[in-house]
Amino acid sequence: MTSLVPGFLTMASLIVAIGAQNAYVLRTGLTRRHVGVVVTVCAASDAVLVVAGVLGVGGLVTAHPGLLTVVRWVGAAYLVGYGLLCLRNARHPKALRAGGTATSRRGALSTVVALTWLNPHVYLDTVLLVGSIANQHGADGRWWFTAGAVASSVAWFTTLGYGARLLAPLFARPATWRVLDVVIALVMFAIAATLVLA
């Protein structure tokens, strides 16, 4: 059980950084639409990937680097597309009010799945890094480490998704939404560039 806290802290150090997934969870929380779906997909995906890493799937990913290359290019293309969508949203006032975004549940689900599973960094962080660190904690300790990592993911995405509501007064102004969309677009383009140039 002593591996629980290291698992929690290791995962927290990896997922707190601003990235495509976190930016989308924040935006979803601010619009207050489909937050539960988005948070659940993010946390469940992390859990699946960490468990896969603990079970040794990291070796498979290492053995087939071409797989990560494909994910890298597809992910970069998706991020550029999503960044362009954010820039378009920044120009249209109808998409700038909290609670006013007309994204369907299916649209939110497909977006968060793509932002999560088309991100090669998620495989490197969860499957390879967290999985290999977990396996250093012994037969029983690795599962406590995994439990800590999964708890960290659940805590982070729940806080980010539902805690975003505290920022609602700030985002009641269209100009603030415009700035957020432009910042998210720039983050998407920067991440896409790092993927292509890696």
Side-chain angles (χ1 to χ4, degrees):
M1 190 163 175
T2 57
S3 300
L4 189 70
V5 173
F8 189 96
L9 295 176
T10 299
M11 191 67 165
S13 69
L14 295 172
I15 63 175
V16 168
I18 292 296
Q21 187 186 51
N22 283 341
Y24 185 71
V25 174
L26 176 62
R27 191 175 205 294
T28 302
L30 288 167
T31 60
R32 302 180 188 182
R33 294 184 58 85
H34 316 300
V35 180
V37 170
V38 169
V39 166
T40 301
V41 168
C42 291
S45 296
D46 276 358
V48 168
L49 290 165
V50 170
V51 169
V54 171
L55 294 175
V57 176
L60 178 67
V61 173
T62 304
H64 299 338
L67 180 64
L68 275 181
T69 300
V70 170
V71 171
R72 180 166 53 101
W73 282 96
V74 172
Y78 185 84
L79 290 173
V80 168
Y82 187 72
L84 292 173
L85 178 65
C86 288
L87 288 179
R88 189 187 75 180
N89 287 343
R91 297 183 64 197
H92 298 312
K94 65 181 179 182
L96 299 176
R97 286 188 298 276
T101 302
T103 302
S104 66
R105 181 180 296 269
R106 178 179 288 179
L109 182 61
S110 63
T111 300
V112 73
V113 166
L115 288 173
T116 301
W117 291 89
L118 291 179
N119 178 4
H121 291 295
V122 78
Y123 299 101
L124 297 173
D125 289 348
T126 56
V127 176
L128 294 175
L129 184 60
V130 176
S132 63
I133 294 173
N135 281 319
Q136 294 174 16
H137 287 260
D140 293 330
R142 67 181 183 159
W143 295 113
W144 284 109
F145 188 94
T146 300
V150 170
S152 180
S153 179
V154 170
W156 170 251
F157 288 118
T158 300
T159 301
L160 186 61
Y162 290 102
R165 294 178 181 188
L166 298 175
L167 299 173
L170 177 66
F171 284 88
R173 295 178 294 191
T176 308
W177 277 101
R178 189 171 287 118
V179 169
L180 177 67
D181 279 327
V182 170
V183 169
I184 289 174
L186 293 176
V187 169
M188 299 303 122
F189 296 149
I191 295 171
T194 62
L195 292 179
V196 170
L197 299 174

